[in-house]
Amino acid sequence: MDRMKRTPISEQDPKIRATNFEEVCLGYTKEEAMEEASRCLNCKKPQCVTQCPVTIEIPEFIQCVKNGEFEEAARVIARSSALPAVCGRVCPQEVQCEGKCILGIKGEAVAIGKLERFVADWSRENNIDLSKVDSKNGKKVAVVGSGPAGLTCAGELAKKGYDVTIFEALHQPGGVLVYGIPEFRLPKDTVVKHEIENVKKLGVKIETNVIVGRTVTIDQLFEEEDFDAVFIGSGAGLPKFMGIPGENANGVCSANEFLTRNNLMKAFKEGYSTPIRVGDRVAVVGGGNVAMDAARTALRLGAESHIVYRRSESELPARAEEVHHAKEEGVVFDLLTNPVEILTDDKGWVTGMKCVRMELGEADASGRRKPVEIEGSEFVIELDTVIMSLGTSPNPLIPSTTKGLEINKRKCIVTEEETGLTTREKVYAGGDAVTGAATVILAMGAGKKAAASIDEFLSK
């Protein structure tokens, strides 16, 4: 075995998977997982752990996999993470745990994410019960939102004996895991539902169709329902737009709406009355993971799919793996391209998008080179649908209906960095509601940190 190279992992053929919504990556077999685990150097001071937002004991679980002790590996991971099958699939490991792997200096880092996925899938397939909890302590905590931050916070507190109730605005729990990430990256009925059930096995109650700020306010949770603390993990679901002419035309939507219709409302399945329009040609404006998800979804719905991004490929914020998969499947990348107007017919439907060519100038505040328009470079892309994927911000509903809860200029809830405590006593927050749109694992890390702070506060 060449220790410098990863054990290859099977994937669906690009031409076949571009026509279906089945998972792209097929995962390791037992033998492949054990072979990949044997590459780990078992460092005395593992930097991979320091870069994991939920501090999974990575060398320990990998050693268990190497020895074929898969159940013990699952228990090691469960001490730190409630959503290993999710994280193994969607975490940006290349810039976190794997980014610090010593083997990655001269070769390829250990496939930590793929091994985590293997362990979680094996645990699910073999019905391993990981629901170990402390005795009840008589304290009640409310969690707003059932996305990765909320589920993590709830699970951590339930393990410590708290009576935890999650309030979810939608009809189905999971947050961005069910409405945002496509089936071909994260299967819902197997992976997501199972990990939510694992959290419920810890004693967590989930109430759906409850819009905190409308159905019930945070003040009422304290005053009428006697909760001792509240964690807000309501995410960032309010889409941003460019503000260019024609943006209100028929055939223009946000990536949030497009993906929600497809993922949560199953628009891609026959027999579901949740229409989704793509037409023959679709442009997704943006270059992040959500843009890749939207473009790859549109492709699977039968459209010629384009990514329109104003910087070059090296500046794409999406994971390299997602860009690679999108290219393999046939998504067209129109880089150094910026939309300036949406064109329509006399009935108000999209017919195309006027764009300009860009070139990269000096670095901006983010450290990336600023795109500058090239004069006289206007051209038109003929289109049927335009999907805007320019990021999201938190919904202002909860701050506007909660006394003493401050937000910043980006409409994000203000918290203490170390504890997650907001400007309102006994109210904590984390995830995208605090940071703006970020990753699943960072939201989980915030939920875990807040749970520890809530426990410390209520244990006094």
Side-chain angles (χ1 to χ4, degrees):
M1 182 189 73
D2 183 352
R3 187 163 235 163
M4 291 296 106
K5 289 190 176 180
R6 284 188 175 193
T7 306
I9 195 162
S10 299
E11 294 179 347
Q12 272 200 80
D13 180 88
K15 289 182 180 177
I16 296 172
R17 72 182 190 237
T19 65
N20 66 52
F21 280 84
E22 294 167 17
E23 192 167 12
V24 168
C25 180
L26 303 178
Y28 279 140
T29 63
K30 291 181 185 178
E31 294 74 21
E32 288 168 344
M34 292 171 71
E35 181 181 340
E36 179 61 19
S38 68
R39 295 180 60 226
C40 179
L41 300 175
N42 207 7
C43 303
K44 289 183 179 179
K45 294 183 179 179
Q47 294 302 304
C48 54
V49 177
T50 66
Q51 290 301 110
C52 174
V54 294
T55 58
I56 292 172
E57 293 156 30
I58 293 167
E60 187 178 346
F61 101 73
I62 290 180
Q63 183 65 34
C64 293
V65 175
K66 178 182 174 181
N67 297 336
E69 299 166 349
F70 305 138
E71 181 173 341
E72 184 55 32
R75 297 195 183 284
V76 171
I77 296 172
R79 294 201 295 259
S80 305
S81 174
L83 306 172
V86 169
C87 290
R89 286 167 166 83
V90 304
C91 274
Q93 290 100 1
E94 64 276 8
V95 294
Q96 292 178 163
C97 53
E98 293 175 14
K100 287 292 184 179
C101 178
I102 297 298
L103 285 178
I105 296 173
K106 292 186 177 179
E108 295 179 329
V110 173
I112 298 168
K114 299 292 191 286
L115 290 174
E116 181 182 17
R117 169 199 163 134
F118 166 79
V119 171
D121 289 353
W122 184 92
S123 175
R124 179 184 70 251
E125 291 158 7
N126 288 274
N127 300 311
I128 304 301
D129 185 0
L130 302 169
S131 56
K132 183 180 178 182
V133 297
D134 295 343
S135 56
K136 291 290 184 182
N137 60 24
K139 304 265 176 83
K140 288 175 62 179
V141 179
V143 172
V144 182
S146 64
L151 289 170
T152 300
C153 184
E156 290 292 311
L157 289 169
K159 286 179 192 175
K160 296 177 184 295
Y162 290 90
D163 183 355
V164 185
T165 302
I166 296 177
F167 297 100
E168 168 56 48
L170 296 176
H171 63 283
Q172 190 174 323
V176 70
L177 305 177
V178 294
Y179 73 72
I181 303 174
E183 192 80 15
F184 55 80
R185 279 218 292 140
L186 186 62
K188 311 302 173 224
D189 289 341
T190 50
V191 174
V192 178
K193 281 188 179 178
H194 177 78
E195 300 215 316
I196 291 172
E197 284 303 313
N198 279 348
V199 172
K200 289 167 74 174
K201 281 180 185 176
L202 297 171
V204 174
K205 297 182 285 293
I206 302 179
E207 293 189 21
T208 55
N209 299 309
V210 178
I211 302 174
V212 174
R214 283 286 182 268
T215 314
V216 64
T217 65
I218 285 177
D219 293 318
Q220 286 174 320
L221 292 176
F222 284 119
E223 295 162 9
E224 298 174 17
E225 301 197 29
D226 299 321
F227 282 98
D228 297 293
V230 173
F231 173 76
I232 302 169
S234 51
L238 200 62
K240 296 176 182 176
F241 288 85
M242 293 186 72
I244 60 176
E247 211 168 40
N248 293 326
N250 298 322
V252 179
C253 67
S254 69
N256 256 36
E257 178 184 350
F258 181 75
L259 291 170
T260 299
R261 281 182 179 275
N262 198 73
N263 302 333
L264 179 66
M265 300 164 72
K266 309 296 183 188
F268 69 92
K269 287 190 174 182
E270 288 186 21
Y272 277 73
S273 56
T274 48
I276 189 167
R277 180 185 185 274
V278 290
D280 294 327
R281 298 187 86 199
V282 173
V284 179
V285 181
N289 290 324
V290 175
M292 299 304 144
D293 286 344
R296 295 172 70 196
T297 295
L299 186 84
R300 283 161 170 77
L301 293 172
E304 178 185 306
S305 186
H306 292 243
I307 286 283
V308 177
Y309 182 61
R310 63 182 185 151
R311 288 183 164 96
S312 69
E313 183 169 345
S314 60
E315 282 83 27
L316 281 167
R319 293 183 68 188
E321 182 178 63
E322 301 309 317
V323 175
H324 171 68
H325 282 157
K327 284 185 172 182
E328 277 191 327
E329 292 163 9
V331 173
V332 179
F333 282 71
D334 296 315
L335 302 173
L336 290 168
T337 300
N338 198 41
V340 292
E341 184 181 356
I342 310 293
L343 306 176
T344 63
D345 61 19
D346 56 4
K347 293 182 179 178
W349 285 95
V350 170
T351 60
M353 188 163 64
K354 187 185 291 184
C355 301
V356 291
R357 302 288 185 194
M358 310 294 283
E359 59 185 357
L360 296 179
E362 298 298 318
D364 62 14
S366 70
R368 295 185 298 176
R369 291 171 65 192
K370 188 175 181 180
V372 180
E373 180 180 334
I374 299 174
E375 286 187 28
S377 64
E378 281 190 1
F379 69 103
V380 172
I381 304 175
E382 292 183 2
L383 296 166
D384 299 300
T385 302
V386 176
I387 300 169
M388 293 293 180
S389 182
L390 306 167
T392 54
S393 60
N395 191 311
L397 178 61
I398 291 175
S400 68
T401 58
T402 307
K403 299 170 189 172
L405 198 64
E406 287 185 18
I407 58 174
N408 60 24
K409 62 182 180 182
R410 295 188 299 127
K411 296 184 171 61
C412 296
I413 297 171
V414 175
T415 65
E416 291 180 359
E417 188 174 345
E418 295 302 314
T419 64
L421 179 65
T422 69
T423 51
R424 167 78 181 266
E425 187 185 15
K426 301 180 185 178
V427 177
Y428 297 74
D432 291 2
V434 170
T435 61
T439 62
V440 166
I441 190 65
L442 288 175
M444 290 175 63
K448 188 172 182 178
K449 177 176 66 178
S453 300
I454 291 169
D455 178 49
E456 183 179 358
F457 170 70
L458 294 179
S459 298
K460 289 178 182 176

